[in-house]
Amino acid sequence: MKTVRLILGDQLNSNHSWFKDINENILYCIFEMRQETDYVIHHIQKVTGFFAAMRSFSKELNEKGHSVKYLSILDKENTNSLTKNLNIVLEKFQAEKFEYLLPDEYRLDKQLKVFCKDLSINNEVYETEHFYTKREELATFFKGKKQFLMENFYRNMRKKHQILVINDQPEGGKWNFDKSNRKKWKENTLIPPFKSFDNNVENILAEINKAEIKTIGKINPKYFEYPINRDQALIQLDYFCENLLVHFGDYQDAMHTNQIYLYHSRISFAMNIKLISPKEVIEKTLEIYRFKKEEIEIAQVEGFIRQILGWREYMRGMYWNFMPDYKKLNELNNKNKLPEFYWTGKTKMNCLKNSINNSLDNSYAHHIQRLMITGNYALLAQTNPDEVDAWYLGIYADAVEWVQLPNTRGMSQFADGGKIATKPYVSSGSYINKMGNYCDSCVYNKKEKITKDACPFNSLYWNFLDDKKKELSGNFRMGMMYSLLRKITPENLFKIKEKAAHIIAVSYTHLRAHETPEHLVCRLLL
Ligand code: FAD
Ligand code: SF4
């Protein structure tokens, strides 16, 4: 039977059972499309990385003997719409059946379901064979429970998949070594440098420019740093296991002005487009740990495995459990605009300047920069979660909605009212100072709240707690913070709130790129 099979840009799994046999009656389709490049403004490295990996995957399939219909962004036949492209290919190939892999994004899942409903030929949908869990597995696990605690889900995953488990008990005596994973990184610790891939993406970049796709951020087209095929993804994983795993947990929450990646694996892009699977990543990690047990402590390995077996699968399950309503949640009723400096990096706040410039330069920031710097500030400034989502979904190469949305709207912005995080991840300047060196070279004073040079995080923090009393003071994990807030005298609190209001107003009264003063006036009047 003549069959057309669709492969989406984040479904580049060469180990999928689809590819076991060569069949000339099967045509694989891979499309670069404006519908995907334009739904938010993406980072140039994200668009380039996706296109480069898709092209490389198509070539690999061709070389193995599979038939592939690849439409590049400037291809004359390309309508830039998924369903229109499919209709044309189905007709030309005289297909008798259409098959696709389960999309991980709600938007595409819906689009393909609607498409199949109207099809006159048979259709079938397949698992992507990537994740440990099925879409609905988390919902079944938490059925009847009021809280969706990640830790419970994670322990169950450890037992179910027998990972770091001996006789149903955790290897090393503890399920979670999080408390030992909070060291501040010192400059004299040597991190072995990663030899970058010399992927030349000049041609792809020229096409993106010719197509006038709007993007943000920088790129080095001669040495594109992200892995764009399976071999490169495996090299990156090996480098991590051999060199970084040994301190992954120790410095998981650390931040430093001289370090972009510290001991983080940078494996998210390769995993999210499915060049490698979470199972392969975990198995390789365990293999190295068993081999180097004298050198690598269990706390490092457990810390890393928890991110993938725990958080990654958990976020996906939460996404599918709560979509589509999740995307509209704004339980803290935050309405402010995202400050302009998120798009330019132009701010005097050293922590934000570093984290945002890392993101603009590399399409990357590690977890604690995303959560405790950019996410923290956006929440303290009471930013509309739609604006925060659009920024996170655009700027990171690894940003696909099923993992970006629960992390941003849930974990970081508490807009889901606590489905994911048990309390908001907010802090004043003292936490930022404790975990990194940004404050040492900042123009602001980390200890002050209301002076001219006071760290903006400080007044914003107490102002946030005061503004959100109704929503948060009943949260038992916030009890200590609210008792400290009550100790601030009304006069001081007034000054703090005045300062915070000024910071918020100033941060979005700057002219945005391409904005005229008239636009600014209209925006502020809205
Ligand atoms: P490492 O620190 O080396 O961690 C290893 C792997 O664990 C990661 O590659 C990732 O696959 C997984 N992981 C770690 N933390 C999480 C988490 N919270 N949720 C899911 N998986 C996790 N991750 C994305 O993949 N895409 C996103 O769009 C994304 N958006 C985020 C937005 C916010 C506001 C926050 C706070 C976190 C976000 N994360 C996202 C999670 C995490 O920050 C990134 O996975 C991580 O920084 C990727 O870098 P790495 O590969 O070096 O990670
Ligand atoms: Fe950030 Fe405040 Fe520290 Fe400056 S003083 S780096 S603004 S936390």
Side-chain angles (χ1 to χ4, degrees):
M1 190 189 299
K2 286 188 117 189
T3 303
V4 163
R5 284 178 167 174
L6 173 69
I7 301 168
L8 295 168
D10 66 344
Q11 296 179 332
L12 312 180
N13 174 6
S14 53
N15 285 339
H16 195 278
S17 50
W18 265 8
F19 309 120
K20 271 195 189 130
D21 302 314
I22 314 286
N23 183 339
E24 60 185 24
N25 283 321
I26 294 177
L27 178 68
Y28 291 97
C29 294
I30 309 178
F31 307 139
E32 295 172 8
M33 290 172 292
R34 295 304 293 247
Q35 94 158 47
E36 298 308 303
T37 58
D38 295 3
Y39 66 88
V40 284
I41 302 177
H42 301 282
H43 196 289
I44 184 62
Q45 294 193 36
K46 183 180 176 189
V47 182
T48 306
F50 267 79
F51 286 4
M54 287 158 69
R55 289 177 188 198
S56 165
F57 191 73
S58 164
K59 193 164 160 257
E60 189 186 317
L61 289 185
N62 263 320
E63 282 166 2
K64 284 182 181 158
H66 298 287
S67 308
V68 185
K69 178 72 189 169
Y70 193 94
L71 290 179
S72 63
I73 199 73
L74 293 177
D75 204 307
K76 287 207 175 70
E77 283 177 70
N78 193 347
T79 66
N80 283 301
S81 142
L82 175 59
T83 49
K84 282 185 191 155
N85 281 348
L86 280 175
N87 274 328
I88 293 169
V89 175
L90 287 171
E91 199 183 312
K92 271 201 180 160
F93 191 61
Q94 297 184 327
E96 295 151 281
K97 194 171 178 201
F98 170 61
E99 298 182 342
Y100 66 103
L101 299 168
L102 266 180
D104 287 314
E105 268 189 53
Y106 188 87
R107 175 181 61 90
L108 285 159
D109 190 61
K110 194 170 156 195
Q111 189 182 18
L112 283 165
K113 273 186 185 146
V114 172
F115 176 74
C116 288
K117 231 173 148 191
D118 296 336
L119 266 187
S120 55
I121 54 172
N122 283 341
N123 65 81
E124 194 170 344
V125 57
Y126 290 73
E127 285 286 340
T128 54
E129 300 171 9
H130 172 83
F131 293 97
Y132 276 93
T133 45
K134 295 228 166 16
R135 268 186 191 174
E136 56 293 330
E137 202 167 319
L138 172 137
T140 313
F141 176 73
F142 285 114
K143 197 163 185 212
K145 303 266 182 340
K146 279 198 186 122
Q147 277 190 311
F148 297 79
L149 286 179
M150 197 299 280
E151 189 62 27
N152 295 347
F153 172 80
Y154 166 58
R155 289 182 190 187
N156 182 58
M157 290 289 285
R158 290 263 299 273
K159 286 188 204 159
K160 183 171 172 193
H161 298 280
Q162 289 295 298
I163 293 172
L164 292 178
V165 160
I166 303 169
N167 296 331
D168 256 12
Q169 291 306 310
E171 195 173 325
K174 280 201 283 185
W175 288 106
N176 185 319
F177 290 83
D178 213 11
K179 289 216 170 86
S180 41
N181 289 349
R182 288 175 193 161
K183 288 191 188 150
K184 192 168 177 170
W185 186 73
K186 304 250 165 42
E187 242 165 299
N188 53 9
T189 332
L190 184 76
I191 304 178
F194 180 65
K195 195 182 157 295
S196 183
F197 309 113
D198 51 1
N199 290 323
N200 188 315
V201 291
E202 283 169 302
N203 289 346
I204 296 179
L205 199 60
E207 288 180 46
I208 292 173
N209 287 336
K210 196 166 176 205
E212 296 181 358
I213 294 169
K214 204 171 166 201
T215 58
I216 44 165
K218 293 184 187 156
I219 187 166
N220 179 347
K222 289 198 174 128
Y223 291 96
F224 183 65
E225 292 217 357
Y226 283 93
I228 57 167
N229 55 47
R230 183 172 162 76
D231 287 347
Q232 291 183 353
L234 290 171
I235 291 172
Q236 191 157 50
L237 177 61
D238 277 351
Y239 161 78
F240 168 75
C241 290
E242 290 293 343
N243 300 288
L244 308 179
L245 178 62
V246 64
H247 287 307
F248 176 84
D250 286 341
Y251 301 115
Q252 205 177 325
D253 289 358
M255 298 176 276
H256 198 278
T257 42
N258 296 348
Q259 287 295 326
I260 302 167
Y261 306 110
L262 282 159
Y263 290 86
H264 294 275
S265 67
R266 301 156 70 180
I267 207 74
S268 51
F269 174 72
M271 261 203 291
N272 291 355
I273 61 172
K274 304 185 180 62
L275 295 179
I276 46 172
S277 72
K279 194 158 185 274
E280 287 176 287
V281 175
I282 288 178
E283 279 173 0
K284 179 76 191 174
T285 310
L286 287 172
E287 183 193 312
I288 298 292
Y289 167 59
R290 304 274 177 237
F291 189 66
K292 296 189 173 181
K293 232 173 172 172
E294 303 292 300
E295 208 183 309
I296 305 176
E297 297 159 9
I298 189 157
Q300 318 301 326
V301 182
E302 187 281 319
F304 185 68
I305 287 179
R306 182 169 1 111
Q307 306 311 315
I308 295 171
L309 188 69
W311 282 110
R312 190 168 186 265
E313 298 285 329
Y314 170 83
M315 289 301 191
R316 175 165 180 265
M318 291 297 273
Y319 177 81
W320 283 104
N321 192 29
F322 290 109
M323 279 297 278
D325 299 343
Y326 200 84
K327 215 178 159 164
K328 295 185 212 115
L329 295 178
N330 185 4
E331 297 280 317
L332 293 178
N333 202 18
N334 286 332
K335 294 189 179 133
N336 289 333
K337 298 272 172 199
L338 189 72
E340 167 64 11
F341 61 70
Y342 274 72
W343 301 99
T344 62
K346 286 186 185 148
T347 166
K348 285 191 282 180
M349 289 179 268
N350 207 25
C351 52
L352 280 159
K353 187 164 73 187
N354 267 270
S355 306
I356 294 171
N357 281 319
N358 270 358
S359 311
L360 289 167
D361 293 350
N362 307 296
S363 199
Y364 179 92
H366 57 72
H367 185 69
I368 216 70
Q369 290 176 316
R370 297 188 203 195
L371 187 65
M372 295 313 294
I373 307 291
T374 42
N376 185 10
Y377 190 89
L379 180 53
L380 291 178
Q382 303 179 32
T383 312
N384 184 333
D386 291 346
E387 297 224 349
V388 187
D389 270 337
W391 186 78
Y392 278 98
L393 189 56
I395 200 154
Y396 295 118
D398 61 26
V400 271
E401 195 186 75
W402 64 265
V403 54
Q404 172 276 323
L405 186 75
N407 266 298
T408 307
R409 197 164 279 250
M411 182 188 258
S412 162
Q413 299 300 296
F414 207 73
D416 64 0
K419 287 184 172 60
I420 285 177
T422 48
K423 73 174 181 60
Y425 280 97
V426 281
S427 82
S428 63
S430 66
Y431 172 86
I432 297 170
N433 182 46
K434 197 169 111 202
M435 296 315 299
N437 75 337
Y438 296 136
C439 304
D440 300 348
S441 49
C442 183
V443 297
Y444 292 108
N445 185 332
K446 61 190 181 252
K447 292 197 175 136
E448 295 295 338
K449 293 191 191 71
I450 46 181
T451 52
K452 202 165 172 232
D453 67 345
C455 166
F457 280 83
N458 293 341
S459 53
L460 287 174
Y461 178 73
W462 295 109
N463 174 63
F464 172 83
L465 290 185
D466 186 60
D467 279 358
K468 304 297 171 189
K469 261 194 298 228
K470 189 162 71 68
E471 294 90 346
L472 298 176
S473 61
N475 180 324
F476 81 102
R477 293 201 63 204
M478 299 293 287
M480 198 174 83
M481 289 302 132
Y482 275 99
S483 77
L484 288 174
L485 177 69
R486 281 192 292 275
K487 287 186 185 147
I488 300 177
T489 62
E491 297 77 39
N492 276 345
L493 188 59
F494 180 79
K495 285 184 198 153
I496 288 172
K497 291 184 74 68
E498 217 176 28
K499 175 93 183 168
H502 176 72
I503 293 166
I504 291 171
V506 165
S507 68
Y508 62 89
T509 49
H510 285 107
L511 271 190
R512 292 181 171 185
H514 315 300
E515 194 174 47
T516 63
E518 291 73 32
H519 281 127
L520 172 69
V521 172
C522 291
R523 178 155 62 78
L524 292 176
L525 288 175
L526 277 178

